[in-house]
């Protein structure tokens, strides 16, 4: 028995205008957030030293920052990490430092720990100490952006070859919509953009593409077998056929991601949040935006007609 039954009118002009307005608002908010807030890049991209220190009782990050500033670390950034007893200290790389700094990370971490321990009445614990050089950070940022562009290009080529070029354009437009919205949420809520978030963006592309392919595959089949020549009717029928599968898949995925968000800790918080937003928005685009683009581009039964070989035509003649 289907989870969702009924004839939902997805493709009526009124519904298409409404979903178009909703998407436009989301994109405008996301772009404005990206322009105003920008990203808080993690150490993977900005380069520098990262030191995680565990306290046995609650600590104020601002007090820790003032202690570091007083010791000469004027540009130190101190934030909570998971709980009010764990802090993360970011020390930006100094001009002229490179990968050779890697050998000094342990000693720098020990210096910071000793400094903070002198100001604390309870014992502290060094959780980790890492360093990313400026060359590595720049290379990661460049290759990360290139990976997203290459992924979108390959998706468009794949869908265009498997279906038809209009489907390829619609799928990439829907994926770009999802990525921009996810990036806007990351910027709006000031989440740290690191390699785990980049991995989440690539996962969103894969997940949204899978949902879109399911819809497009059923749409191609319906365009070929249904007697109606009205694209609106055919796409409506398609979406009603796949809506139960789409919601069940998204719901089970979101349950797993919610568990990751709650139990995974601060280290994967950005990853989990990005995927939750991506899966939610991806479900919306697979049911509305992708097919909307097909309607705007004037998809017809002739676009998906199976080509008949000349020899088959001859054989069918009396």
């Amino acid at each position: 028995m289907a989870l969702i039954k009924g004839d939902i009118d997805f493709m009526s002009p009124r519904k298409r205008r409404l979903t178009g307005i909703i998407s436009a608002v989301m994109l405008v908010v996301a772009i404005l957030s990206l322009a105003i807030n920008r990203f808080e890049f993690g150490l993977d991209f900005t380069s520098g030293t990262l030191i995680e220190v565990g306290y046995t009782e609650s600590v104020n990050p601002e007090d820790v920052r003032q202690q570091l500033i007083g010791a000469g670390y004027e540009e130190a950034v101190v934030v909570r990490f998971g709980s009010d007893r764990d802090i993360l200290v970011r020390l930006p790389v100094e001009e002229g430092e490179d990968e050779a700094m890697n050998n000094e990370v342990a000693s720098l971490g020990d210096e910071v720990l000793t400094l903070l321990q002198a100001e604390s009445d309870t014992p502290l614990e060094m959780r980790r100490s890492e360093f990313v050089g400026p060359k590595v950070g720049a290379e990661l940022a460049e290759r990360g952006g290139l990976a997203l562009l290459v992924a979108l290009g390959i998706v468009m080529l794949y869908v265009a070859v498997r279906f038809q070029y209009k489907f390829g354009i619609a799928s990439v437009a829907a994926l770009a919509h999802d990525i921009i919205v996810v990036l806007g949420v990351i910027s709006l809520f000031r989440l740290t953009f690191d390699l785990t978030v980049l991995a989440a963006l690539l996962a969103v592309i894969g997940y949204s593409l899978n949902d879109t392919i399911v819809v497009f595959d059923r749409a191609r089949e319906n365009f070929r077998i249904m007697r109606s020549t009205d694209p609106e009717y055919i796409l409506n029928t398609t979406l009603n056929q796949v809506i139960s599968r789409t919601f069940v898949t998204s719901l089970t995925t979101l349950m797993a991601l919610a568990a990751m968000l709650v139990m995974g800790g601060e280290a994967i918080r950005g990853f989990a949040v990005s995927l939750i937003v991506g899966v939610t928005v991806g479900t919306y685009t697979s049911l509305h935006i992708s097919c909307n683009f097909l309607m705007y581009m004037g998809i017809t039964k002739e676009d998906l007609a199976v080509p008949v070989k000349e020899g088959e035509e001859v054989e069918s003649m009396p």
Side-chain angles (χ1 to χ4, degrees):
M1 179 179 294
L3 177 65
I4 299 176
K5 301 174 64 176
D7 186 15
I8 303 175
D9 189 6
F10 289 97
M11 291 288 104
S12 68
R14 180 175 175 274
K15 292 287 181 62
R16 295 206 306 272
R17 284 194 298 269
L18 177 61
T19 55
I21 292 173
I22 293 173
S23 293
V25 170
M26 287 194 295
L27 290 175
V28 169
V29 172
I31 292 172
L32 286 176
S33 178
L34 290 171
I36 297 173
N37 295 332
R38 300 182 182 274
F39 288 126
E40 291 191 3
F41 286 103
L43 196 68
D44 300 324
F45 301 112
T46 59
S47 73
T49 303
L50 182 70
I51 303 168
E52 182 183 349
V53 179
Y55 283 73
T56 56
E57 57 185 25
S58 178
V59 60
N60 187 346
E62 182 59 27
D63 294 340
V64 176
R65 194 176 78 86
Q66 292 302 324
Q67 295 171 16
L68 293 173
I69 291 176
Y73 300 101
E74 288 85 1
E75 298 184 9
V77 177
V78 182
V79 296
R80 295 190 189 279
F81 191 75
S83 72
D84 58 1
R85 293 179 297 176
D86 299 316
I87 63 166
L88 207 60
V89 179
R90 295 192 183 99
L91 301 176
V93 66
E94 298 294 336
E95 187 175 355
E97 289 181 342
D98 54 22
E99 297 305 316
M101 181 67 181
N102 231 346
N103 299 324
E104 303 178 17
V105 174
S107 61
L108 180 59
D110 291 339
E111 290 178 10
V112 171
L113 184 66
T114 301
L115 169 66
L116 298 179
Q117 182 67 78
E119 301 290 336
S120 175
D121 298 330
T122 58
L124 310 183
E125 178 186 358
M126 170 70 70
R127 300 284 173 78
R128 59 171 165 150
S129 183
E130 302 173 355
F131 174 77
V132 176
K135 293 181 181 179
V136 175
E139 183 178 353
L140 289 173
E142 179 182 350
R143 292 190 176 184
L146 183 61
L148 288 176
L149 294 177
V150 169
L152 291 176
I154 292 176
V155 164
M156 183 168 65
L157 179 62
Y158 164 73
V159 177
V161 170
R162 178 171 175 179
F163 297 97
Q164 198 255 4
Y165 79 92
K166 293 179 181 179
F167 285 82
I169 296 174
S171 63
V172 169
L175 289 177
H177 171 279
D178 296 344
I179 294 300
I180 292 174
V181 172
V182 173
L183 290 175
V185 171
I186 293 171
S187 172
L188 186 64
F189 291 97
R190 312 306 294 260
L191 300 176
T192 301
F193 192 101
D194 54 18
L195 286 180
T196 63
V197 173
L198 177 61
L201 292 177
L202 294 173
V204 167
I205 291 178
Y207 183 90
S208 297
L209 176 63
N210 178 68
D211 258 3
T212 303
I213 290 297
V214 170
V215 175
F216 284 176
D217 198 48
R218 182 58 62 89
R220 177 177 59 178
E221 179 182 344
N222 287 337
F223 268 101
R224 289 176 175 176
I225 66 175
M226 294 182 69
R227 294 187 177 184
S228 173
T229 59
D230 182 10
E232 179 181 319
Y233 175 80
I234 295 175
L235 291 176
N236 251 335
T237 302
T238 298
L239 292 173
N240 277 279
Q241 289 172 344
V242 302
I243 186 172
S244 292
R245 176 263 172 203
T246 299
F247 269 100
V248 168
T249 303
S250 298
L251 182 60
T252 53
T253 305
L254 288 172
M255 290 170 62
L257 292 174
M260 291 176 60
L261 178 62
V262 174
M263 307 298 295
E266 191 71 20
I268 62 172
R269 178 170 174 264
F271 176 83
V273 171
S274 300
L275 269 179
I276 288 174
V277 175
V279 169
T280 304
V281 177
T283 302
Y284 162 76
T285 56
S286 65
L287 293 175
H288 293 283
I289 303 305
S290 56
C291 288
N292 274 359
F293 273 105
L294 290 179
M295 290 291 294
Y296 291 142
M297 288 185 291
I299 191 72
T300 63
K301 289 179 71 73
E302 288 73 20
D303 290 328
L304 295 171
V306 179
V308 181
K309 296 181 181 179
E310 184 177 351
E312 293 179 349
E313 290 183 345
V314 173
E315 292 175 359
S316 64
M317 294 176 63

